[in-house]
Amino acid sequence: MSDRETTVRRAPRAVVVSAWAVPIMVAGQFAMLAIVPVAIVLIGTLRDTRLRLGAIALTVAYAIPLALWAIGPERAQSLSKDMHPVFAAIIVAVGVAFAVSFHVPRRKPAHR
């Protein structure tokens, strides 16, 4: 077995930092600026199939209130003020779950 076979592929540092930044920014009332780390997470995980589902979930959770804010007839000056607290809680929960998934060791499949 070579070193290449035993090496675990890790996510880029920018993706991990961005994954943690999203829930922090949304909880800290900087939801509009969170579009940058959401984009970094999505783009950074496009080639990694095991992370893709979590990145898509985070992107969708963020995109729904963003779209509602953008198309709303009476929108607030900021996304944070216009976003329903339930949407903020969902984004924070999905963001934290996705970020924690980087730190949980994956089990290797059993060989038969």
Side-chain angles (χ1 to χ4, degrees):
M1 208 186 292
S2 70
D3 288 336
R4 195 173 261 184
E5 290 175 304
T6 60
T7 303
V8 176
R9 186 170 179 206
R10 299 182 68 181
R13 184 176 303 229
V15 173
V16 176
V17 171
S18 295
W20 280 110
V22 172
I24 291 169
M25 292 176 93
V26 170
Q29 299 293 305
F30 292 99
M32 184 58 81
L33 294 176
I35 197 167
V36 174
V38 168
I40 292 171
V41 165
L42 183 63
I43 293 167
T45 58
L46 287 177
R47 288 193 280 168
D48 195 344
T49 55
R50 66 187 171 89
L51 298 175
R52 190 178 303 150
L53 183 62
I56 290 171
L58 180 60
T59 303
V60 169
Y62 180 80
I64 291 171
L66 179 65
L68 292 174
W69 174 81
I71 63 174
E74 296 179 24
R75 58 182 179 190
Q77 292 179 346
S78 74
L79 177 60
S80 297
K81 291 179 183 177
D82 196 51
M83 185 186 308
H84 193 279
V86 172
F87 282 128
I90 290 170
I91 294 169
V92 169
V94 171
V96 168
F98 182 64
V100 166
S101 72
F102 289 112
H103 305 289
V104 176
R106 305 225 186 289
R107 293 183 184 199
K108 293 181 181 181
H111 294 297
R112 292 181 180 206

